[in-house]
Amino acid sequence: KQEVTQIPAALSVPEGENLVLNCSFTDSAIYNLQWFRQDPGKGLTSLLLIQSSQREQTSGRLNASLDKSSGRSTLYIAASQPGDSATYLCAVSGNYGQNFVFGPGTRLSVLP
Amino acid sequence: DVKVTQSSRYLVKRTGEKVFLECVQDMDHENMFWYRQDPGLGLRLIYFSYDVKMKEKGDIPEGYSVSREKKERFSLILESASTNQTSMYLCASSSGQGHYNEQFFGPGTRLTVL
């Protein structure tokens, strides 16, 4: 059964720092990996999607990488801002592309 | 932009009531999902549907049922609400295998059962 973990569980950094969030999964037979952002009391917002055949995706200050063989993904946030404060979740979808397994999330606080 | 909407942001119900949570997506997605999210437990899949009138149990289907009569609409039903069903309920949709299968979420419904 697929399991997804995220390290660290919480992170607090001063504004302007570059930071890395980690996601690990136990079964490398994935269809894709998706990073989300969640603000308190809200739904999830899709940030980046990496297909299993891809190594990385970029959107603005965000860069996500995928190493399928080792079961790892990282989300890199450049020049962090207070508005980046949120919980970040990763999720992997199985080979049939239907079921998604989520990690527990990393709660990020960017201090002004 | 894909839009997933949920019928209510906040809902308060009494124990034993029948509760309907509605979800609508406007991108002709094949797959739709219902999750609940609780502190310390993360997102847990209740049910998903990969086609009209099709449904599959997720990890925690007990106490819930679903209905998908039209492609764009996926309903979650609590037959007899209980206090342990107080939670944030999130609906999502995705296009399915062969179309990147990116998942999009609605804003969530915070359900309180008294």
Side-chain angles (χ1 to χ4, degrees), chain B residues 3-95:
Chain B
K3 197 159 187 179
V4 180
T5 57
Q6 295 183 229
S7 49
S8 306
R9 288 301 314 276
Y10 300 94
L11 210 52
V12 180
K13 296 293 182 180
R14 296 279 180 190
T15 301
E17 279 192 75
K18 191 168 186 176
V19 182
F20 293 87
L21 303 182
E22 304 282 340
C23 176
V24 177
Q25 50 94 3
D26 67 358
M27 279 300 290
D28 201 36
H29 281 173
E30 294 169 2
N31 301 331
M32 295 188 75
F33 307 81
W34 275 108
Y35 297 89
R36 63 177 284 177
Q37 186 177 33
D38 301 286
L41 296 176
L43 264 83
R44 293 180 291 168
L45 180 65
I46 305 171
Y47 269 98
F48 70 95
S49 168
Y50 53 88
D51 201 353
V52 175
K53 297 192 186 293
M54 306 302 288
K55 61 184 179 184
E56 293 284 343
K57 292 181 180 179
D59 299 319
I60 51 163
E62 298 78 20
Y64 303 94
S65 63
V66 290
S67 171
R68 193 166 180 200
E69 296 296 318
K70 293 185 178 181
K71 193 174 185 179
E72 68 271 17
R73 188 179 298 269
F74 191 35
S75 302
L76 179 70
I77 303 155
L78 287 65
E79 296 289 342
S80 178
S82 64
T83 55
N84 63 12
Q85 292 178 311
T86 291
S87 187
M88 170 71 104
Y89 289 88
L90 293 164
C91 174
S93 72
S94 73
S95 53

Side-chain angles (χ1 to χ4, degrees), chain A residues 2-41:
Chain A
Q2 181 74 272
E3 292 183 4
V4 180
T5 55
Q6 292 186 245
I7 292 173
L11 183 62
S12 185
V13 300
E15 183 177 3
E17 273 204 12
N18 303 325
L19 56 100
V20 174
L21 308 180
N22 297 289
C23 172
S24 297
F25 47 95
T26 55
D27 185 351
S28 62
I30 64 170
Y31 185 72
N32 65 25
L33 184 144
Q34 196 169 355
W35 281 94
F36 295 90
R37 168 193 173 127
Q38 186 178 30
D39 294 291

Side-chain angles (χ1 to χ4, degrees), chain A residues 31-32 34 36 38 41-44 46 49 51 89 93 95-98 100 102, chain B residues 9 31 33 35 37 43 48 50 88 90 97-103 105-107:
Chain A
Y31 185 72
N32 65 25
Q34 196 169 355
F36 295 90
Q38 186 178 30
K42 303 286 179 64
L44 279 67
S46 178
L49 174 80
Q51 295 291 101
L89 298 98
S93 72
N95 245 355
Y96 295 100
Q98 289 169 347
F100 292 79
F102 283 79
Chain B
R9 288 301 314 276
N31 301 331
F33 307 81
Y35 297 89
Q37 186 177 33
L43 264 83
F48 70 95
Y50 53 88
M88 170 71 104
L90 293 164
Q97 195 177 32
H99 297 87
Y100 298 118
N101 200 35
E102 187 172 1
Q103 198 172 41
F105 279 79

